[in-house]
Amino acid sequence: MSQQRRPLVKHIFTADPSAHVFDGKIYIYPSHDLAEDLEHNDNGDEYQMTDYHILSLDSLDAECKDNGEALHMRDVKWVSKQMWAPDAAYKNGKYYLFFPARDKEGLFRIGVAVGDKPEGPFKAEDDYIQGTCTIDPAVFVDDDGRAYMYYGGLWGGQLEKWQNGVYEPDAQEPAAGQPAACSFVAELNDDMKSIKGEPMKVVILDENGKPITADDEDRRFFEASWMHKYNDTYYFSYSTGTTHYIVYATSKSPTGPFTYRGRILEPVVGWTTHHSIVEYQGKWYLFYHDSELSNGKNNQRCVKFTEIKYNEDGTIQTIKPYEE
Ligand code: FUB
């Protein structure tokens, strides 16, 4: 029976799925939501996750396997709390788990842990990746072997507080009419544990070549970056946060600038929306989450997937998550 649009696992709460195909299987790197009822606020204080469990599917119809604890906060020296949305990549015979968490000063940083198998266990580096900040890393390894990390998130994710490489606790989002804050993109060095040079800001343009503005909440970047490549075009997708869409923008370069193209996923049950896109056996799938399993509790989410379809011109058909 097809598991599409159903919770992949029900024994734990999972969210923010980053899906990859390794050795012919689908591996899903999600956040592991706690089963605690915590009140929602704009700072994301209800997301108090402490570890990661990697899920895997031998095929689309197979039962989803929970491979157990792959990394716990207690084993990461630099972390104080909140292990949020992770991603993973394979290079040079090793698997790398990238994860955001608050450091001992309360600032979100991106860390990396290394393993020999896609499901872990992973051993964290002693410190976070120098030069990183904020949340939601998505690592894309291009056909030429170069790896890029996209990361950032507003509000609880602190993106708007980073101004020219300095954390400004009182900084606000850009004013209406100004270019919106956007994700960072940094190329990773061959060791996958450090970044090359200074991170750049992703630029998203509208149909007239003008930057998407901060008040354009249906289209501006909020969090949950993802990168995939389809027919030699780079698709940068993300959550619009306050308006709860997953949308995308395309470019002929992995670092942009990108042009806004449309919506991939309409709002789901729960405040957050977060996704990944992966090719498996010649078809493309969207992994995403909603709060159906907990009857709508924002911080108790469940991971699902559904097929996505492209039109001839490369645009993606919008998914209405609760309609067939
Ligand atoms: O899971 C915690 C946060 O919620 C993630 O980092 C965001 O993308 C949102 O899904």
Side-chain angles (χ1 to χ4, degrees):
M1 189 177 68
S2 171
Q3 305 196 70
Q4 296 203 33
R5 303 195 186 188
R6 294 162 195 254
L8 275 178
V9 292
K10 293 186 174 172
H11 65 293
I12 55 172
F13 292 111
T14 55
D16 310 322
S18 293
H20 293 273
V21 175
F22 295 130
D23 299 332
K25 280 195 211 175
I26 302 175
Y27 287 87
I28 303 138
Y29 299 82
S31 299
H32 175 195
D33 283 350
L34 300 182
E36 278 179 10
D37 285 338
L38 298 170
E39 208 171 300
H40 177 76
N41 67 27
D42 286 349
N43 200 36
D45 292 333
E46 70 270 41
Y47 302 102
Q48 290 294 336
M49 298 82 105
T50 57
D51 69 355
Y52 296 110
H53 284 224
I54 314 308
L55 309 178
S56 55
L57 287 167
D58 286 350
S59 72
L60 291 178
D61 296 327
E63 197 177 325
C64 186
K65 184 174 174 199
D66 173 359
N67 293 284
E69 188 181 285
L71 181 70
H72 193 282
M73 197 170 82
R74 74 173 88 81
D75 298 319
V76 192
K77 288 185 184 153
W78 61 269
V79 166
S80 63
K81 60 179 181 176
Q82 293 185 300
M83 293 176 95
W84 284 10
D87 191 18
Y90 171 79
K91 197 162 183 187
N92 304 331
K94 296 277 183 196
Y95 294 88
Y96 297 86
L97 180 73
F98 297 89
F99 57 97
R102 284 187 195 257
D103 68 9
K104 306 284 186 201
E105 291 171 16
L107 303 188
F108 271 106
R109 305 285 189 176
I110 313 288
V112 61
V114 188
D116 293 320
K117 293 185 288 181
E119 69 271 29
F122 294 95
K123 184 169 176 352
E125 293 294 296
D126 286 350
D127 208 348
Y128 57 79
I129 301 175
Q130 295 307 298
T132 64
C133 56
T134 185
I135 60 166
D136 290 0
V139 174
F140 169 75
V141 182
D142 206 348
D143 301 328
D144 61 5
R146 292 169 75 173
Y148 301 87
M149 183 164 72
Y150 303 81
Y151 56 98
L154 292 172
W155 297 10
Q158 305 173 336
L159 175 62
E160 70 279 18
K161 304 201 179 303
W162 285 94
Q163 303 286 333
N164 303 314
V166 178
Y167 183 79
E168 306 274 5
D170 299 325
Q172 305 287 325
E173 285 174 69
Q178 295 299 309
C182 200
S183 174
F184 288 105
V185 54
E187 187 171 350
L188 291 165
N189 284 313
D190 211 38
D191 66 1
M192 299 293 269
K193 297 174 184 171
S194 57
I195 58 176
K196 252 183 212 170
E198 288 295 307
M200 293 183 293
K201 282 286 178 92
V202 169
V203 171
I204 302 175
L205 305 173
D206 67 12
E207 61 284 5
N208 300 313
K210 298 259 163 47
I212 298 281
T213 55
D215 51 328
D216 187 351
E217 294 188 31
D218 282 355
R219 301 194 294 177
R220 68 96 170 78
F221 176 84
F222 190 90
E223 62 187 1
S225 300
W226 188 255
M227 170 57 61
H228 77 283
K229 194 176 181 180
Y230 175 79
N231 282 350
D232 288 332
T233 296
Y234 296 90
Y235 286 68
F236 176 70
S237 45
Y238 55 96
S239 162
T240 61
T242 47
T243 47
H244 316 288
Y245 301 121
I246 297 290
V247 299
Y248 70 108
T250 60
S251 174
K252 286 293 172 192
S253 158
T255 53
F258 295 87
T259 301
Y260 180 87
R261 298 293 291 280
R263 261 179 222 170
I264 299 176
L265 182 66
E266 296 284 344
V268 294
V269 173
W271 200 95
T272 65
T273 185
H274 192 122
H275 73 300
S276 59
I277 295 170
V278 68
E279 185 179 17
Y280 178 69
Q281 297 185 342
K283 291 186 172 180
W284 289 84
Y285 296 92
L286 177 80
F287 283 75
Y288 63 103
H289 70 226
D290 70 10
S291 295
E292 183 199 318
L293 191 57
S294 65
N295 292 318
K297 289 178 184 161
N298 287 328
N299 68 323
Q300 294 179 9
R301 300 163 289 179
C302 58
V303 167
K304 300 179 172 182
F305 74 92
T306 191
E307 189 178 345
I308 57 168
K309 298 212 167 98
Y310 295 87
N311 298 312
E312 290 269 305
D313 63 357
T315 51
I316 295 175
Q317 297 177 10
T318 307
I319 291 162
K320 296 191 165 122
Y322 307 105
E323 284 175 26
E324 284 310 313

